Amino acid sequence: MNLLRPNIRDMKGYVPGFQPDDVASWIKLNTNENPYPPSPKVMEAIYEELGADGASLRTYPSASSSKLREAAGELYGFDPSWIIMANGSDEVLNNLIRACAGEGEEIALVHPSYSYYATLAEIQGARVRCFGLTADFRIADFPERYEGKLFFLTSPNAPLGFAFPIAYVEDLARRCDGLLVIDEAYADFADGTALELVKKYDNVVVTRTFSKSYALAGMRLGLAIARPEIITALDKIRDHYNLDRLAQAACVAALRDQLYFRDCCARIRETRDWFTLELTAIGYDVIPSQGNFVFAAPPDKNGKRVYDGLYGKKILVRLLSDPLLAHGLRISIGTRKEMERTLAALREIG
Ligand SMILES: Cc1ncc(COP(=O)(O)O)c(C=O)c1O
C-alpha cells in the first residue's frame, strides 16, 4: 500500500514478551515484572482518587502530573522542572528520539541491549549505529568523539544484567556530542545510579520505569530526568494528558512508601543472588546481574531446548530472537518459591 511511509510499510515492528491470558497458571519469568504486588498504599490511593461513585473520572487528569513530579523530585533530589512523567518509560524513550533525531540522522545503541530503541528509530526514519560489547562488558570501538544525535546506554544492561561503572559512563558522557540517554529501568536493583551525572553534564538524561521495582507494569509509568531545556522540549511532544488520574495517584503513593519499596527490592536481590549461585552449581554460565533477572546459558548452550522444557512445565522465560543470545535465556526473578520450582525444573530438564 503506497499510502504509507516506506519505513513503516517495510518495518517488522517490536514483538513484546508473551502475556498469556491464563497468567495465574504460569510461573511467569519472561518480562521482568515484579513477583510481589505494589504497596498496599497504591490500592488505597486508587480508591481514594476514584471516590465513591467514580465521579473524578469525568474530568481530565493533571496534564503536567504535577503532584507526581513533586514526589519524584523529592525522592531523587531534583526540582520538578527537571522531571517529565511518561506513560511507561517506552513513551519517553520514543519522544527523546523524536526530539533529537530527524529523518536520516544517526542515533546509537549497544548491542545487545533493549531492542525497542532500534524500532523507535526506524519509525522516526533515523539511522542506527550499533556498538558491540567487549568480553569484559565495555563498549567496543567507541570513538573519542561520538557525533550522533543520541546514544542509548542501558545500565544495568538488559538482557545481560551487568552494569557499567559510573566513572566509565561519565567518560562516555564527555565523549558524546549529542544526548547520552542512560536507561536505568533496572537501577533500583543495582548497587549504583548515574543520576548525579544529570547534574554534572547538560547532555545526560536518565530514564526510569515503575514497571519493575515498583510493581506497576500494568499502570504504565515511567519518567526521565534531565536539564529543564530538555524536559521543556519533551513536554511539547508528549500527549498532553499522557498519564491518567489513577496512574498518577498510584505512583505518588508508591513513591511515598519507600519502606515497602526497599523491602521488596531487597527480597528480589537476595533471591537473585541465591538463584545465581544455585544455577552456577548445576553447570549454568550465569552473568552476575544487577537487575531483577539473570542471563544464563545451559552447559550445552542450547537456549531453545531449555525454553521448551520449561514451557512444558508452565514456566515462562525469555528466549531472545537475537542469534547472539540463542545460547541462553533471560530469566526474571520471581518469589523464592517460584525460583525453587524453576531450579527443580531445570535440574529435571538437564
Ligand atoms: C531496558 C528497558 N527499558 C525500558 C523498558 C520499558 O519499560 P516500561 O514498562 O516503563 O515502558 C524495559 C521493559 O522491559 C526495559 O527492559
Side-chain angles (χ1 to χ4, degrees):
M1 180 146 88
N2 55 14
L3 296 174
L4 301 172
R5 287 166 63 205
N7 56 325
I8 305 297
R9 185 191 56 218
D10 298 339
M11 69 184 279
K12 278 211 195 95
Y14 181 75
V15 183
F18 176 47
Q19 305 296 342
D21 288 336
D22 57 338
V23 67
S25 68
W26 291 85
I27 293 182
K28 189 173 181 305
L29 309 175
N30 68 329
T31 44
N32 297 344
E33 288 136 335
N34 199 309
Y36 303 107
S39 154
K41 304 260 168 60
V42 166
M43 289 297 284
E44 285 169 26
I46 290 173
Y47 283 123
E48 195 179 317
E49 181 63 32
L50 268 175
D53 57 359
S56 69
L57 297 183
R58 277 186 321 103
T59 55
Y60 286 104
S62 161
S64 59
S65 300
S66 54
K67 281 193 192 136
L68 182 44
R69 283 171 45 241
E70 267 166 38
E74 214 170 283
L75 178 68
Y76 298 121
F78 286 86
D79 185 84
S81 60
W82 290 58
I83 298 175
I84 186 166
M85 296 306 306
N87 192 262
S89 59
D90 282 345
E91 185 204 12
V92 77
L93 296 172
N94 187 10
N95 288 340
L96 281 159
I97 297 191
R98 290 170 75 201
C100 296
E103 198 150 339
E105 290 186 310
E106 184 179 295
I107 66 123
L109 49 86
V110 176
H111 179 238
S113 71
Y114 188 37
S115 60
Y116 192 46
Y117 310 133
T119 306
L120 294 172
E122 214 179 342
I123 295 168
Q124 180 71 353
R127 280 183 297 120
V128 175
R129 177 161 173 193
C130 289
F131 290 105
L133 287 169
T134 61
D136 59 349
F137 298 135
R138 295 292 182 269
I139 294 161
D141 304 320
F142 197 75
E144 203 37 55
R145 290 233 61 81
Y146 176 61
E147 292 174 357
K149 292 286 172 173
L150 183 157
F151 176 37
F152 284 115
L153 189 76
T154 324
S155 191
N157 177 277
L160 299 181
F162 69 88
F164 293 103
I166 297 304
Y168 182 76
V169 177
E170 180 160 5
D171 183 47
L172 295 176
R174 284 196 212 102
R175 287 157 72 174
C176 283
D177 287 344
L179 288 190
L180 174 65
V181 177
I182 309 165
D183 181 343
E184 290 200 344
Y186 300 98
D188 289 327
F189 306 105
D191 297 335
T193 162
L195 272 178
E196 68 185 75
L197 300 183
V198 176
K199 290 190 176 144
K200 253 171 126 172
Y201 297 91
D202 60 11
N203 63 336
V204 171
V205 179
V206 166
T207 63
R208 292 281 182 99
T209 176
F210 295 86
S211 301
K212 320 291 180 184
S213 52
Y214 283 91
L216 288 169
M219 293 220 81
R220 312 302 301 124
L221 285 154
L223 59 72
I225 304 183
R227 305 250 148 184
E229 306 87 89
I230 298 172
I231 298 298
T232 304
L234 293 170
D235 241 344
K236 292 184 207 165
I237 305 174
R238 69 176 169 86
D239 286 353
H240 30 270
Y241 298 118
N242 60 340
L243 261 67
D244 69 62
R245 274 183 180 282
L246 304 185
Q248 291 187 35
C251 198
V252 169
L255 281 176
R256 291 206 174 129
D257 195 354
Q258 285 295 303
L259 218 57
Y260 180 92
F261 164 78
R262 279 198 289 268
D263 177 60
C264 190
C265 291
R267 276 196 277 169
I268 291 167
R269 284 169 56 117
E270 199 181 306
T271 309
R272 174 194 71 199
D273 296 343
W274 166 83
F275 186 66
T276 300
L277 286 177
E278 294 292 322
L279 265 188
T280 309
I282 60 168
Y284 274 65
D285 201 354
V286 191
I287 299 172
S289 173
Q290 295 269 298
N292 66 338
F293 58 88
V294 292
F295 190 85
D300 68 352
K301 308 285 182 249
N302 187 343
K304 173 87 169 79
R305 180 186 65 81
V306 179
Y307 175 88
D308 289 342
L310 288 172
Y311 192 93
K313 294 174 185 292
K314 303 273 307 184
I315 299 172
L316 202 52
V317 297
R318 191 75 177 259
L319 174 70
L320 293 140
S321 57
D322 186 335
L324 201 70
L325 304 168
H327 60 293
L329 297 167
R330 194 194 67 191
I331 307 175
S332 309
I333 301 301
T335 62
R336 172 75 179 228
K337 212 164 163 194
E338 286 175 326
M339 301 323 284
E340 280 169 2
R341 282 177 55 192
T342 303
L343 201 62
L346 289 172
R347 283 202 185 97
E348 270 176 41
I349 292 162

